[in-house]
Every structure is written in structure tokens, then in C-alpha cells.
Amino acid sequence: MREMRDTVQAEVTMTFLVSQDLSFRIPVELSYDSGDPYAVEITFHLPGDAPVSWSFARELLLDGLSKPTGEGDVRIAPASPEGLSDVFIRLQVGCERALFRAGAAPLVAFLDRTDRVVPFGQEPAACDPVGDLDAELHRILAEDRFAG
């Protein structure tokens, strides 16, 4: 018996801000898997390069829509303090940094779809290994009773 897992995917276009004078738009895939309900994955398709994927907390993306958030490798902040605006996503590995600008609306739509799969705050129930283990053990024991 396989567990049911729901996924949410979206394609958006983000601006890769290479420098103050150079930027270009790139396709980006957002994905969410209920099997890992706390995380989202963003895959960047940079020209001439293999796709690059980053996974980080779904809540970080949600919080970054309205206020600067994140410590370390992933930081997300609204581009403007007034209302829902574009969002800056900064990724860092060592001293290498990449800065992207994304529209807030497609991110909100993506997060809304993930919330329908696993509501925010309900992540522990979505990854309850004990409940799955109990059901699987019950199934195995029932098969053994009927087999012998």
C-alpha cells in the first residue's frame, strides 16, 4: 500500500539581477510535495547552464512576501514596504550570491495551492509516520491471519 502524495507545481518568470546594469528574465519552476510538507523547491533555468534547484522552508517564502526574512543561504524580502509588491530572493553559497526579483502574485497563488494540499500549521499531521506505520502493521497482520 503506497502513501498518497500530492504535489503542486508552477512555472513563473523571475528576473536574475546579475549587476546594477545587467539583468535578464529566466523561467523558474516552483514545486511542493506533501511528502515533505515543510519545504518548497525552486528550480532556476539559467541560460547555458544545468538547472539549479534550491529547497527551503515554505514558511520562509510566505513570510518573505510581507517582511525581510531568512538567515544564511536564503533570504527573501519585499521590494517595497507598501502592500504586496515584487519580492527579492537572495541565494548564497560561500561568497557566491545570486539575486532574483519575482512578482508576488504568482508566489501567492502557488502558496495558496500548497495550503490547499497541506494547510499551513498542519504539516505535522501530513508527515505522521506513526499513523502510517500503524495502518501498515494492521494490514500485514490481517494478511498473515488470512494466509495461514
Side-chain angles (χ1 to χ4, degrees):
M1 181 178 197
R2 290 180 42 106
E3 72 180 78
M4 294 294 296
R5 287 172 47 164
D6 291 315
T7 59
V8 175
Q9 295 182 316
E11 257 192 52
V12 299
T13 300
M14 292 187 186
T15 302
F16 180 28
L17 303 163
V18 180
S19 69
Q20 197 162 352
D21 300 325
L22 178 63
S23 65
F24 51 92
R25 296 174 66 72
I26 60 167
V28 176
E29 291 174 37
L30 302 170
S31 61
Y32 177 78
D33 185 331
S34 64
D36 186 3
Y38 291 99
V40 293
E41 184 175 272
I42 297 183
T43 302
F44 300 93
H45 296 275
L46 299 169
D49 253 337
V52 176
S53 295
W54 283 72
S55 291
F56 54 88
R58 176 172 69 149
E59 197 167 313
L60 182 72
L61 184 57
L62 176 66
D63 291 347
L65 293 170
S66 59
K67 65 181 186 241
T69 188
E71 296 176 12
D73 296 347
V74 180
R75 295 180 186 211
I76 303 173
S80 166
E82 291 115 34
L84 203 56
S85 67
D86 285 358
V87 175
F88 288 116
I89 299 174
R90 192 185 91 198
L91 308 172
Q92 182 171 342
V93 177
C95 61
E96 296 288 322
R97 289 185 183 162
L99 183 63
F100 300 89
R101 186 175 184 140
L107 299 178
V108 168
F110 171 73
L111 287 169
D112 181 59
R113 289 175 54 214
T114 71
D115 187 58
R116 285 187 238 144
V117 171
V118 177
F120 281 96
Q122 299 299 312
E123 294 89 352
C127 59
D128 177 14
V130 176
D132 291 344
L133 184 59
D134 285 346
E136 188 65 15
L137 187 56
H138 181 70
R139 185 187 67 76
I140 291 168
L141 291 173
E143 283 178 2
D144 282 348
R145 268 196 302 262
F146 294 119

